[in-house]
Short mmCIF file of all heavy atoms in Angstrom, two decimals:
data_model
loop_
_atom_site.label_atom_id
_atom_site.label_comp_id
_atom_site.label_asym_id
_atom_site.label_seq_id
_atom_site.Cartn_x
_atom_site.Cartn_y
_atom_site.Cartn_z
N ILE A 138 146.72 94.95 125.64
CA ILE A 138 145.65 95.94 125.84
C ILE A 138 144.35 95.23 126.21
O ILE A 138 143.63 95.64 127.12
CB ILE A 138 145.47 96.82 124.59
CG1 ILE A 138 146.64 97.79 124.48
CG2 ILE A 138 144.15 97.59 124.64
CD1 ILE A 138 146.67 98.59 123.20
N THR A 139 144.05 94.15 125.53
CA THR A 139 142.81 93.43 125.83
C THR A 139 142.86 92.85 127.25
O THR A 139 141.92 93.02 128.03
CB THR A 139 142.57 92.30 124.81
OG1 THR A 139 142.74 92.83 123.50
CG2 THR A 139 141.18 91.71 124.94
N LEU A 140 143.96 92.19 127.58
CA LEU A 140 144.06 91.58 128.91
C LEU A 140 144.08 92.63 130.02
O LEU A 140 143.51 92.41 131.09
CB LEU A 140 145.32 90.71 128.99
CG LEU A 140 145.13 89.25 128.57
CD1 LEU A 140 146.48 88.54 128.47
CD2 LEU A 140 144.21 88.51 129.53
N SER A 141 144.70 93.77 129.77
CA SER A 141 144.75 94.81 130.80
C SER A 141 143.34 95.32 131.12
O SER A 141 143.03 95.65 132.27
CB SER A 141 145.59 96.00 130.34
OG SER A 141 146.93 95.61 130.17
N GLN A 142 142.50 95.39 130.10
CA GLN A 142 141.14 95.87 130.33
C GLN A 142 140.30 94.81 131.05
O GLN A 142 139.51 95.10 131.93
CB GLN A 142 140.46 96.24 129.02
CG GLN A 142 141.10 97.44 128.35
CD GLN A 142 140.25 97.96 127.19
OE1 GLN A 142 139.23 98.60 127.38
NE2 GLN A 142 140.67 97.67 125.97
N ILE A 143 140.48 93.54 130.66
CA ILE A 143 139.69 92.47 131.27
C ILE A 143 140.16 92.19 132.69
O ILE A 143 139.37 91.95 133.59
CB ILE A 143 139.83 91.17 130.43
CG1 ILE A 143 139.25 91.37 129.04
CG2 ILE A 143 139.14 90.01 131.13
CD1 ILE A 143 139.49 90.18 128.11
N LYS A 144 141.49 92.20 132.87
CA LYS A 144 142.07 91.85 134.16
C LYS A 144 143.05 92.93 134.59
O LYS A 144 144.24 92.83 134.31
CB LYS A 144 142.86 90.54 134.04
CG LYS A 144 142.04 89.32 133.79
CD LYS A 144 142.92 88.09 133.95
CE LYS A 144 142.06 86.87 134.10
NZ LYS A 144 142.84 85.69 134.42
N PRO A 145 142.57 93.95 135.29
CA PRO A 145 143.47 95.04 135.68
C PRO A 145 144.78 94.57 136.34
O PRO A 145 145.82 95.20 136.10
CB PRO A 145 142.60 95.89 136.61
CG PRO A 145 141.22 95.68 136.09
CD PRO A 145 141.17 94.24 135.63
N PRO A 146 144.82 93.49 137.16
CA PRO A 146 146.11 93.08 137.73
C PRO A 146 147.16 92.77 136.65
O PRO A 146 148.36 92.95 136.87
CB PRO A 146 145.78 91.82 138.53
CG PRO A 146 144.33 91.94 138.85
CD PRO A 146 143.72 92.65 137.68
N TYR A 147 146.71 92.31 135.50
CA TYR A 147 147.65 92.02 134.40
C TYR A 147 148.44 93.27 134.05
O TYR A 147 149.65 93.20 133.79
CB TYR A 147 146.88 91.51 133.17
CG TYR A 147 147.77 91.17 131.99
CD1 TYR A 147 148.30 89.89 131.84
CD2 TYR A 147 148.07 92.13 131.03
CE1 TYR A 147 149.11 89.58 130.76
CE2 TYR A 147 148.89 91.83 129.95
CZ TYR A 147 149.41 90.55 129.82
OH TYR A 147 150.21 90.25 128.75
N PHE A 148 147.76 94.40 134.03
CA PHE A 148 148.41 95.67 133.67
C PHE A 148 149.55 96.00 134.64
O PHE A 148 150.62 96.43 134.23
CB PHE A 148 147.36 96.79 133.66
CG PHE A 148 147.91 98.14 133.32
CD1 PHE A 148 148.30 98.44 132.02
CD2 PHE A 148 148.02 99.12 134.29
CE1 PHE A 148 148.80 99.70 131.71
CE2 PHE A 148 148.52 100.38 133.99
CZ PHE A 148 148.90 100.67 132.69
N TYR A 149 149.31 95.75 135.94
CA TYR A 149 150.36 96.03 136.93
C TYR A 149 151.56 95.11 136.73
O TYR A 149 152.71 95.54 136.81
CB TYR A 149 149.82 95.88 138.35
CG TYR A 149 148.82 96.94 138.72
CD1 TYR A 149 147.52 96.62 139.07
CD2 TYR A 149 149.20 98.29 138.72
CE1 TYR A 149 146.60 97.60 139.40
CE2 TYR A 149 148.29 99.27 139.06
CZ TYR A 149 146.99 98.93 139.39
OH TYR A 149 146.09 99.91 139.72
N VAL A 150 151.30 93.84 136.48
CA VAL A 150 152.40 92.89 136.27
C VAL A 150 153.20 93.31 135.03
O VAL A 150 154.42 93.30 135.03
CB VAL A 150 151.87 91.44 136.13
CG1 VAL A 150 153.03 90.48 135.86
CG2 VAL A 150 151.11 91.02 137.38
N LEU A 151 152.48 93.72 134.00
CA LEU A 151 153.13 94.15 132.76
C LEU A 151 154.03 95.37 133.02
O LEU A 151 155.17 95.42 132.57
CB LEU A 151 152.05 94.49 131.72
CG LEU A 151 152.51 94.90 130.33
CD1 LEU A 151 153.25 93.76 129.65
CD2 LEU A 151 151.31 95.33 129.48
N GLN A 152 153.50 96.32 133.78
CA GLN A 152 154.29 97.52 134.11
C GLN A 152 155.55 97.14 134.90
O GLN A 152 156.64 97.63 134.62
CB GLN A 152 153.47 98.47 134.97
CG GLN A 152 152.55 99.39 134.19
CD GLN A 152 151.89 100.40 135.12
OE1 GLN A 152 151.52 100.10 136.25
NE2 GLN A 152 151.74 101.63 134.63
N GLN A 153 155.38 96.24 135.87
CA GLN A 153 156.53 95.83 136.70
C GLN A 153 157.56 95.07 135.86
O GLN A 153 158.75 95.25 136.03
CB GLN A 153 156.07 94.95 137.86
CG GLN A 153 155.34 95.72 138.94
CD GLN A 153 154.66 94.79 139.93
OE1 GLN A 153 154.97 93.60 140.00
NE2 GLN A 153 153.73 95.30 140.69
N TYR A 154 157.05 94.23 134.96
CA TYR A 154 157.95 93.48 134.08
C TYR A 154 158.77 94.47 133.24
O TYR A 154 159.98 94.33 133.10
CB TYR A 154 157.16 92.53 133.18
CG TYR A 154 158.04 91.76 132.22
CD1 TYR A 154 158.70 90.60 132.61
CD2 TYR A 154 158.25 92.23 130.92
CE1 TYR A 154 159.55 89.92 131.74
CE2 TYR A 154 159.09 91.55 130.04
CZ TYR A 154 159.73 90.41 130.45
OH TYR A 154 160.57 89.74 129.59
N GLN A 155 158.08 95.47 132.69
CA GLN A 155 158.78 96.43 131.83
C GLN A 155 159.82 97.22 132.61
O GLN A 155 160.89 97.53 132.09
CB GLN A 155 157.77 97.36 131.14
CG GLN A 155 157.17 96.66 129.92
CD GLN A 155 155.84 97.25 129.47
OE1 GLN A 155 155.26 98.09 130.15
NE2 GLN A 155 155.35 96.79 128.33
N GLN A 156 159.52 97.52 133.88
CA GLN A 156 160.50 98.22 134.71
C GLN A 156 161.72 97.34 134.97
O GLN A 156 162.86 97.78 134.85
CB GLN A 156 159.87 98.66 136.03
CG GLN A 156 159.03 99.93 135.88
CD GLN A 156 158.00 100.09 136.98
OE1 GLN A 156 158.05 99.38 138.00
NE2 GLN A 156 157.07 101.01 136.79
N ALA A 157 161.47 96.08 135.32
CA ALA A 157 162.58 95.15 135.60
C ALA A 157 163.42 94.94 134.34
O ALA A 157 164.65 94.86 134.40
CB ALA A 157 162.03 93.82 136.12
N LEU A 158 162.74 94.88 133.20
CA LEU A 158 163.45 94.69 131.92
C LEU A 158 164.36 95.90 131.64
O LEU A 158 165.52 95.74 131.24
CB LEU A 158 162.43 94.53 130.81
CG LEU A 158 162.95 94.24 129.41
CD1 LEU A 158 163.69 92.91 129.37
CD2 LEU A 158 161.79 94.24 128.40
N ALA A 159 163.82 97.10 131.89
CA ALA A 159 164.62 98.31 131.67
C ALA A 159 165.84 98.30 132.59
O ALA A 159 166.94 98.71 132.19
CB ALA A 159 163.76 99.55 131.92
N GLN A 160 165.66 97.80 133.83
CA GLN A 160 166.78 97.74 134.78
C GLN A 160 167.85 96.77 134.31
O GLN A 160 169.04 97.05 134.36
CB GLN A 160 166.28 97.27 136.16
CG GLN A 160 165.26 98.20 136.80
CD GLN A 160 165.90 99.41 137.44
OE1 GLN A 160 167.11 99.61 137.35
NE2 GLN A 160 165.08 100.24 138.08
N ARG A 161 167.41 95.59 133.85
CA ARG A 161 168.41 94.61 133.39
C ARG A 161 169.14 95.15 132.16
O ARG A 161 170.35 95.03 132.05
CB ARG A 161 167.76 93.26 133.08
CG ARG A 161 168.79 92.18 132.69
CD ARG A 161 168.14 90.83 132.46
NE ARG A 161 169.10 89.73 132.26
CZ ARG A 161 169.52 89.30 131.07
NH1 ARG A 161 169.11 89.90 129.96
NH2 ARG A 161 170.37 88.29 131.00
N ASN A 162 168.41 95.78 131.25
CA ASN A 162 169.04 96.32 130.04
C ASN A 162 170.04 97.42 130.37
O ASN A 162 171.12 97.48 129.79
CB ASN A 162 167.98 96.84 129.06
CG ASN A 162 167.21 95.72 128.40
OD1 ASN A 162 167.66 94.56 128.41
ND2 ASN A 162 166.05 96.03 127.84
N ALA A 163 169.68 98.27 131.34
CA ALA A 163 170.61 99.35 131.75
C ALA A 163 171.87 98.73 132.35
O ALA A 163 172.99 99.18 132.09
CB ALA A 163 169.92 100.28 132.75
N LEU A 164 171.64 97.69 133.15
CA LEU A 164 172.78 97.03 133.80
C LEU A 164 173.70 96.36 132.78
O LEU A 164 174.92 96.43 132.89
CB LEU A 164 172.25 96.00 134.82
CG LEU A 164 173.28 95.30 135.69
CD1 LEU A 164 174.11 96.30 136.48
CD2 LEU A 164 172.60 94.32 136.65
N LEU A 165 173.10 95.74 131.76
CA LEU A 165 173.90 95.10 130.72
C LEU A 165 174.85 96.13 130.08
O LEU A 165 176.02 95.86 129.83
CB LEU A 165 173.00 94.49 129.63
CG LEU A 165 172.21 93.23 130.00
CD1 LEU A 165 171.17 92.92 128.92
CD2 LEU A 165 173.12 92.03 130.21
N LYS A 166 174.32 97.30 129.85
CA LYS A 166 175.13 98.36 129.22
C LYS A 166 176.23 98.84 130.16
O LYS A 166 177.36 99.09 129.73
CB LYS A 166 174.24 99.52 128.80
CG LYS A 166 173.30 99.13 127.66
CD LYS A 166 172.66 100.35 127.00
CE LYS A 166 171.74 99.96 125.87
NZ LYS A 166 170.43 99.43 126.35
N THR A 167 175.90 98.93 131.45
CA THR A 167 176.91 99.35 132.44
C THR A 167 178.05 98.33 132.50
O THR A 167 179.22 98.69 132.51
CB THR A 167 176.27 99.47 133.85
OG1 THR A 167 175.14 100.32 133.75
CG2 THR A 167 177.25 100.04 134.86
N ILE A 168 177.66 97.05 132.52
CA ILE A 168 178.68 95.99 132.59
C ILE A 168 179.60 96.07 131.36
O ILE A 168 180.81 95.97 131.46
CB ILE A 168 178.02 94.60 132.68
CG1 ILE A 168 177.20 94.49 133.98
CG2 ILE A 168 179.07 93.49 132.63
CD1 ILE A 168 176.28 93.28 134.03
N LEU A 169 178.99 96.28 130.22
CA LEU A 169 179.73 96.35 128.96
C LEU A 169 180.71 97.52 128.98
O LEU A 169 181.85 97.43 128.55
CB LEU A 169 178.72 96.51 127.82
CG LEU A 169 179.20 96.18 126.42
CD1 LEU A 169 179.60 94.71 126.32
CD2 LEU A 169 178.08 96.47 125.40
N ARG A 170 180.22 98.65 129.54
CA ARG A 170 181.00 99.88 129.51
C ARG A 170 182.06 99.91 130.60
O ARG A 170 183.20 100.26 130.37
CB ARG A 170 180.03 101.06 129.70
CG ARG A 170 180.47 102.36 129.07
CD ARG A 170 179.38 103.42 129.19
NE ARG A 170 178.81 103.46 130.53
CZ ARG A 170 177.51 103.33 130.78
NH1 ARG A 170 176.65 103.14 129.82
NH2 ARG A 170 177.06 103.39 132.03
N GLU A 171 181.66 99.49 131.80
CA GLU A 171 182.54 99.68 132.95
C GLU A 171 183.11 98.37 133.50
O GLU A 171 183.93 98.38 134.42
CB GLU A 171 181.79 100.41 134.07
CG GLU A 171 181.34 101.80 133.64
CD GLU A 171 180.38 102.44 134.63
OE1 GLU A 171 180.31 101.94 135.78
OE2 GLU A 171 179.71 103.41 134.26
N GLY A 172 182.62 97.25 132.96
CA GLY A 172 183.14 95.96 133.38
C GLY A 172 182.77 95.57 134.80
O GLY A 172 183.35 94.68 135.39
N LYS A 173 181.77 96.24 135.38
CA LYS A 173 181.37 95.84 136.74
C LYS A 173 179.85 95.87 136.91
O LYS A 173 179.14 96.50 136.11
CB LYS A 173 182.05 96.72 137.79
CG LYS A 173 181.76 98.19 137.63
CD LYS A 173 182.50 98.99 138.69
CE LYS A 173 182.07 100.44 138.62
NZ LYS A 173 183.09 101.39 138.95
N GLY A 174 179.39 95.20 137.93
CA GLY A 174 177.95 95.17 138.21
C GLY A 174 177.31 93.82 137.91
O GLY A 174 176.13 93.60 138.20
N ALA A 175 178.10 92.88 137.35
CA ALA A 175 177.54 91.59 136.92
C ALA A 175 176.87 90.83 138.07
O ALA A 175 175.94 90.05 137.84
CB ALA A 175 178.61 90.74 136.27
N GLU A 176 177.32 91.08 139.29
CA GLU A 176 176.76 90.32 140.42
C GLU A 176 175.29 90.67 140.68
O GLU A 176 174.58 89.92 141.34
CB GLU A 176 177.62 90.52 141.69
CG GLU A 176 177.61 91.92 142.30
CD GLU A 176 178.44 92.95 141.52
OE1 GLU A 176 179.12 92.56 140.54
OE2 GLU A 176 178.40 94.14 141.87
N THR A 177 174.81 91.78 140.14
CA THR A 177 173.41 92.18 140.36
C THR A 177 172.47 91.56 139.32
O THR A 177 171.25 91.58 139.50
CB THR A 177 173.25 93.73 140.30
OG1 THR A 177 174.46 94.32 140.75
CG2 THR A 177 172.11 94.20 141.16
N LEU A 178 173.04 91.03 138.24
CA LEU A 178 172.19 90.46 137.18
C LEU A 178 171.17 89.43 137.70
O LEU A 178 170.00 89.49 137.33
CB LEU A 178 173.05 89.83 136.07
CG LEU A 178 173.47 90.74 134.92
CD1 LEU A 178 174.38 89.98 133.96
CD2 LEU A 178 172.26 91.29 134.16
N PRO A 179 171.61 88.47 138.55
CA PRO A 179 170.65 87.46 139.00
C PRO A 179 169.42 88.03 139.69
O PRO A 179 168.33 87.46 139.61
CB PRO A 179 171.47 86.60 139.97
CG PRO A 179 172.88 86.80 139.55
CD PRO A 179 172.97 88.21 139.05
N VAL A 180 169.58 89.18 140.35
CA VAL A 180 168.44 89.79 141.05
C VAL A 180 167.36 90.17 140.04
O VAL A 180 166.17 89.84 140.20
CB VAL A 180 168.89 91.06 141.82
CG1 VAL A 180 167.69 91.72 142.51
CG2 VAL A 180 169.98 90.73 142.82
N TRP A 181 167.78 90.84 138.97
CA TRP A 181 166.81 91.26 137.96
C TRP A 181 166.26 90.07 137.18
O TRP A 181 165.10 90.04 136.80
CB TRP A 181 167.44 92.28 137.00
CG TRP A 181 167.80 93.55 137.71
CD1 TRP A 181 169.04 94.09 137.87
CD2 TRP A 181 166.89 94.42 138.40
NE1 TRP A 181 168.97 95.24 138.61
CE2 TRP A 181 167.66 95.47 138.95
CE3 TRP A 181 165.51 94.42 138.62
CZ2 TRP A 181 167.10 96.50 139.69
CZ3 TRP A 181 164.94 95.44 139.35
CH2 TRP A 181 165.73 96.47 139.88
N GLU A 182 167.12 89.06 137.00
CA GLU A 182 166.66 87.89 136.25
C GLU A 182 165.58 87.13 137.04
O GLU A 182 164.60 86.67 136.46
CB GLU A 182 167.85 86.98 135.91
CG GLU A 182 168.69 87.61 134.81
CD GLU A 182 170.06 86.98 134.65
OE1 GLU A 182 170.37 85.99 135.36
OE2 GLU A 182 170.82 87.48 133.79
N ALA A 183 165.77 87.05 138.35
CA ALA A 183 164.76 86.36 139.17
C ALA A 183 163.42 87.10 139.09
O ALA A 183 162.36 86.50 138.95
CB ALA A 183 165.24 86.27 140.62
N GLN A 184 163.50 88.44 139.14
CA GLN A 184 162.27 89.25 139.04
C GLN A 184 161.61 89.10 137.68
O GLN A 184 160.40 88.93 137.58
CB GLN A 184 162.62 90.73 139.22
CG GLN A 184 162.72 91.14 140.66
CD GLN A 184 162.35 92.61 140.81
OE1 GLN A 184 161.59 93.15 140.00
NE2 GLN A 184 162.86 93.24 141.84
N LEU A 185 162.45 89.17 136.64
CA LEU A 185 161.92 89.04 135.28
C LEU A 185 161.25 87.69 135.09
O LEU A 185 160.19 87.58 134.47
CB LEU A 185 163.03 89.20 134.24
CG LEU A 185 163.45 90.61 133.91
CD1 LEU A 185 164.68 90.61 133.01
CD2 LEU A 185 162.30 91.35 133.21
N ALA A 186 161.87 86.65 135.63
CA ALA A 186 161.32 85.30 135.46
C ALA A 186 159.97 85.17 136.17
O ALA A 186 159.01 84.63 135.62
CB ALA A 186 162.31 84.26 135.98
N ALA A 187 159.89 85.72 137.39
CA ALA A 187 158.63 85.61 138.15
C ALA A 187 157.52 86.40 137.47
O ALA A 187 156.40 85.90 137.27
CB ALA A 187 158.85 86.12 139.58
N LEU A 188 157.82 87.64 137.08
CA LEU A 188 156.80 88.49 136.47
C LEU A 188 156.48 88.00 135.05
O LEU A 188 155.32 87.92 134.66
CB LEU A 188 157.30 89.94 136.40
CG LEU A 188 157.50 90.63 137.76
CD1 LEU A 188 158.38 91.87 137.61
CD2 LEU A 188 156.14 91.01 138.35
N GLY A 189 157.53 87.66 134.31
CA GLY A 189 157.35 87.20 132.93
C GLY A 189 156.51 85.94 132.85
O GLY A 189 155.67 85.79 131.95
N ALA A 190 156.70 85.04 133.81
CA ALA A 190 155.94 83.79 133.81
C ALA A 190 154.45 84.07 133.97
O ALA A 190 153.60 83.42 133.35
CB ALA A 190 156.43 82.88 134.93
#
Side-chain angles (χ1 to χ4, degrees):
I138 287 173
T139 311
L140 271 171
S141 296
Q142 294 191 75
I143 296 174
K144 292 190 164 187
Y147 181 90
F148 179 72
Y149 291 119
V150 178
L151 183 64
Q152 276 186 322
Q153 287 169 17
Y154 178 83
Q155 279 159 352
Q156 281 158 12
L158 183 63
Q160 298 281 4
R161 185 177 187 265
N162 288 342
L164 185 58
L165 289 169
K166 292 194 180 77
T167 307
I168 297 168
L169 198 62
R170 208 174 46 236
E171 298 169 16
K173 58 181 187 213
E176 68 285 355
T177 330
L178 270 177
V180 178
W181 295 117
E182 287 165 3
Q184 276 210 26
L185 280 173
L188 294 162

